[in-house]
Amino acid sequence: MRSYKLVFLLVFCLGFLENIEAKADSEFSLLVHFRKYSHHNPFQKGTPYQKKVPAIRLDERTAVALLKPGEVPLFAEIHPEESAGRKAYFQKVDLDTGLGIVLLPENFGKSKKASPIALLEESAKTQGVCSPFFTNFEWGSLEFSKSILPLSKLARKENQDGTRSFLFSGKKVCGFTDGTWNAGADLLRRFYQSRFSSSSPFPHPGFSAEGSLTPAEEDYYFPKGSVGAVVSEVLPGIGPMHNLFPGDAVLSVNGTPVASKQKQVLYDILLSKGGSYLNSGEWVTLSLYRDGRKREIRYQLRPYNEDSFLIPESSDKIAPKYIIAGGLLFTELTHTYLKEYGEKYKSSSDRKLVYLAESYSKKLHPERSRIVLLSRAFPDEKNRAYQEFQDLILESVNDKVVDSVEGLKAAISENKDEFLVFRFSGNKLAVFDKSELKSLDERIKSLYSLDSLDNIR
C-alpha cells in the first residue's frame, strides 16, 4: 500500500512538473514601457514607467501579451536582463480588454531563448483538458473592462489588482485569467485573427436591458403572452441611437425569440449564433414592442468605446487634450480628471462637475461633444484678475458656443474681434486684448518651460 502511494505521488509530481515546464517553454515575459499622463497637468510629457507582462508566441513573428485594460504601451523589451534588451513593438492593442499583439524581432525565432509557438486549445470549454478552468459560463466583463465576453467566474477572487496570467493544461494554452474571471483560448484566437484590423473583434450589445420586472410591468411593456428584456440604456456610438430607446421591449434577435427575462439569454442570442461567437461588424435585427406596436430595427455590432460620450472615463488613447490661452489652461472633463483629486473626489472636487459626470455618464449632449474646463491659470501680471479661476465650465468665446477643445482652438484662431471674451459657468468672464494675447502666451510658455501651448493636431 505504501509503495502504491509513492508511485501515485511520483506520477502526480511528474505531471505537475510537466505543466510547469510547458508553461515555462511557451510563455515569456515582456518588459513593457508605458507613459502615465496627468489630466490636471496634460501639458507635461507624462511619467514613464515599466512593468513585466506575460506573453505567448502564436507564430514566427507575432505574440499576444496580457496588459491591464486602459494602458497604452509604447514598446516592449525581450529578455531585458541581457546586455542588449531587444525591442518589440505593438501592432495592435485593444484598450478595453487589455489584449495586445506584439511584433517580434525578425531573428527572434533563432534565439536560444526563443519560446516555442504556443498551442491554443481547440475544444469547447465544457470538455477536454481545459474544462477544469471553466466550471460555469456566463457573459461578463473582465476586471477594469466594459466589453461583454463569454467568461467563467471564479468561486473566489484571487487578487484585487486584476493581475493577469495564462492558463495552461499540459502543453496547451487554455486561455487567461485576471483573478476574477477565466477567459478561454478562443478569445485569444479571435484577437490574433483580427491583428490586421484596427478595431476590436469583440462586439458590445450597445444597450443594457432590465430583466427584473414585476407582473404589472410585464403586462405594460409586452404584448399578452410574450416575454423578453426591456431596454434600460442605449450607449451612444455603440448601440442603435435614435432607433432604440429605454422602455423598448426586445422580443427576438435575428428571428430567435428571447423567450426569457434573463439578460444572459439575451446576450447569448445577440452575441453568438450556431455555437460560434459573433465579431464586431456583423449585423443584427431586433424585433421590438413599443407603444403598443411591433417594430424592427437593424444595426451593426460595434466594440465598446467612449468616443461619443459627453464625459468619458478618460482620454486614454493619447495624452489628455489641452490648450493654453492667456495663461488659462483648458482641458476636457473626464471621470479620470475628477478622480485625480483622490479617493474622496466626490467631496473634494467641484460638486457641479461631479453631478455632471454622474448625470451624463454614457450619454450624449444635444449641443456639445465634450465639456471644456478652465482647469486653472498660470499666474502672470496680465491675467491677475483670473488667477483664482479653477474648474469652471467654458460656455463660449465671443458668444460662440464651445463644444470641444478643438472647437476652442478654432474659435480663438478664427475670431476677428479686438478682444477675446471667455464666458464661464456662474456668469464669470475673462477678457483679453487680442493684440497682447500672443506676447502673453509666449511669455507663459517661456516662464513655465512649456513645450507647447496645445496638443491639438
Side-chain angles (χ1 to χ4, degrees):
M1 187 70 177
R2 185 177 178 183
S3 62
Y4 172 77
K5 289 183 178 179
L6 288 173
V7 171
F8 176 80
L9 182 62
L10 179 61
V11 171
F12 176 80
C13 290
L14 287 174
F16 180 72
L17 289 173
E18 181 186 359
N19 280 356
I20 293 178
E21 183 180 0
K23 179 175 180 178
D25 282 347
S26 57
E27 180 181 320
F28 62 96
S29 291
L30 290 173
L31 182 65
V32 182
H33 294 248
F34 302 89
R35 193 177 295 277
K36 182 176 179 60
Y37 295 99
S38 167
H39 286 245
H40 285 193
N41 303 291
F43 52 87
Q44 295 179 343
K45 290 183 178 179
T47 305
Y49 67 99
Q50 306 84 35
K51 68 177 180 180
K52 288 186 176 181
V53 304
I56 55 173
R57 190 159 65 111
L58 296 183
D59 63 34
E60 291 297 326
R61 289 288 312 280
T62 310
V64 62
L66 301 179
L67 308 171
K68 184 178 178 180
E71 291 184 326
V72 184
L74 300 174
F75 64 92
E77 290 183 72
I78 305 171
H79 306 313
E81 67 278 2
E82 297 179 354
S83 57
R86 289 173 296 168
K87 287 186 179 181
Y89 296 93
F90 284 84
Q91 179 184 19
K92 177 177 181 175
V93 176
D94 181 10
L95 293 178
D96 191 66
T97 61
L99 296 178
I101 295 291
V102 184
L103 289 178
L104 302 170
E106 289 187 13
N107 60 348
F108 179 77
K110 299 179 182 178
S111 169
K112 293 181 179 180
K113 291 188 176 182
S115 300
I117 294 175
L119 300 174
L120 298 182
E121 172 60 23
E122 293 284 350
S123 62
K125 296 184 285 291
T126 54
Q127 61 185 18
V129 296
C130 292
S131 58
F133 292 116
F134 305 99
T135 55
N136 54 44
F137 169 84
E138 61 181 287
W139 294 93
S141 299
L142 295 165
E143 291 287 281
F144 312 109
S145 172
K146 300 292 195 306
S147 296
I148 306 297
L149 303 170
L151 304 169
S152 179
K153 194 166 190 177
L154 301 181
R156 180 171 57 88
K157 193 169 186 175
E158 296 183 356
N159 63 59
Q160 299 298 320
D161 60 359
T163 300
R164 297 179 165 193
S165 59
F166 288 101
L167 299 170
F168 291 86
S169 179
K171 294 184 178 181
K172 292 208 171 178
V173 180
C174 295
F176 67 95
T177 183
D178 63 7
T180 301
W181 300 90
N182 286 348
D186 55 302
L187 293 181
L188 299 175
R189 186 179 297 106
R190 287 169 65 191
F191 188 66
Y192 169 72
Q193 291 170 347
S194 75
R195 61 193 182 280
F196 300 114
S197 168
S198 60
S199 65
S200 167
F202 309 119
H204 191 280
F207 64 93
S208 300
E210 179 60 56
S212 302
L213 301 175
T214 65
E217 288 174 327
E218 290 179 15
D219 291 340
Y220 175 79
Y221 285 114
F222 293 95
K224 189 173 182 179
S226 298
V227 294
V230 175
V231 176
S232 58
E233 182 180 44
V234 184
L235 302 181
I238 310 172
M241 287 294 292
H242 312 303
N243 285 320
L244 189 66
F245 302 94
D248 286 349
V250 182
L251 303 176
S252 69
V253 180
N254 293 333
T256 302
V258 177
S260 173
K261 294 182 288 185
Q262 299 299 317
K263 188 185 298 184
Q264 292 293 326
V265 174
L266 174 63
Y267 286 162
D268 200 38
I269 61 175
L270 185 59
L271 299 177
S272 66
K273 183 179 181 180
S276 298
Y277 301 120
L278 299 182
N279 289 326
S280 297
E282 301 197 48
W283 290 84
V284 295
T285 300
L286 303 183
S287 294
L288 311 171
Y289 190 70
R290 178 196 304 160
D291 297 332
R293 293 176 54 193
K294 290 186 178 181
R295 308 165 188 262
E296 276 195 354
I297 66 167
R298 189 169 182 262
Y299 72 104
Q300 200 171 19
L301 290 172
R302 297 181 178 89
Y304 183 87
N305 74 80
E306 300 185 351
D307 291 345
S308 298
F309 292 6
L310 176 67
I311 306 175
E313 188 66 27
S314 65
S315 55
D316 48 15
K317 293 183 180 179
I318 55 174
K321 297 174 184 176
Y322 77 92
I323 182 171
I324 298 170
L328 306 183
L329 171 62
F330 297 94
T331 188
E332 293 177 348
L333 176 61
T334 64
H335 289 268
T336 304
Y337 179 93
L338 294 174
K339 290 176 182 177
E340 284 189 9
Y341 279 105
E343 292 183 0
K344 298 181 179 179
Y345 71 93
K346 290 187 178 181
S347 58
S348 58
S349 58
D350 187 279
R351 291 187 178 182
K352 182 177 181 180
L353 300 184
V354 173
Y355 170 78
L356 281 172
E358 292 180 347
S359 300
Y360 276 95
S361 179
K362 303 178 184 178
K363 289 182 173 63
L364 285 171
H365 189 277
E367 295 180 342
R368 303 169 183 238
S369 58
R370 289 286 190 272
I371 289 180
V372 179
L373 286 180
L374 164 57
S375 180
R376 68 177 188 277
F378 291 91
D380 184 271
E381 61 179 17
K382 293 293 185 179
N383 63 18
R384 186 179 305 169
Y386 318 121
Q387 290 172 14
E388 299 302 317
F389 284 14
Q390 182 178 3
D391 287 347
L392 298 178
I393 297 173
L394 178 63
E395 300 287 354
S396 63
V397 175
N398 291 51
D399 295 326
K400 182 177 181 179
V401 175
V402 174
D403 65 348
S404 63
V405 170
E406 293 93 338
L408 171 59
K409 184 174 182 178
I412 293 173
S413 62
E414 295 170 4
N415 187 271
K416 305 299 183 184
D417 297 336
E418 184 179 351
F419 294 92
L420 275 176
V421 181
F422 298 92
R423 186 179 297 275
F424 302 98
S425 56
N427 205 29
K428 293 184 177 181
L429 299 177
V431 182
F432 294 92
D433 187 324
K434 281 190 66 178
S435 62
E436 298 178 354
L437 189 65
K438 186 174 182 179
S439 60
L440 170 58
D441 284 340
E442 290 301 321
R443 188 164 64 249
I444 292 289
K445 183 178 179 181
S446 174
L447 183 62
Y448 292 93
S449 302
L450 301 174
D451 290 334
S452 177
L453 293 172
D454 71 77
N455 63 351
I456 310 302
R457 300 293 181 262

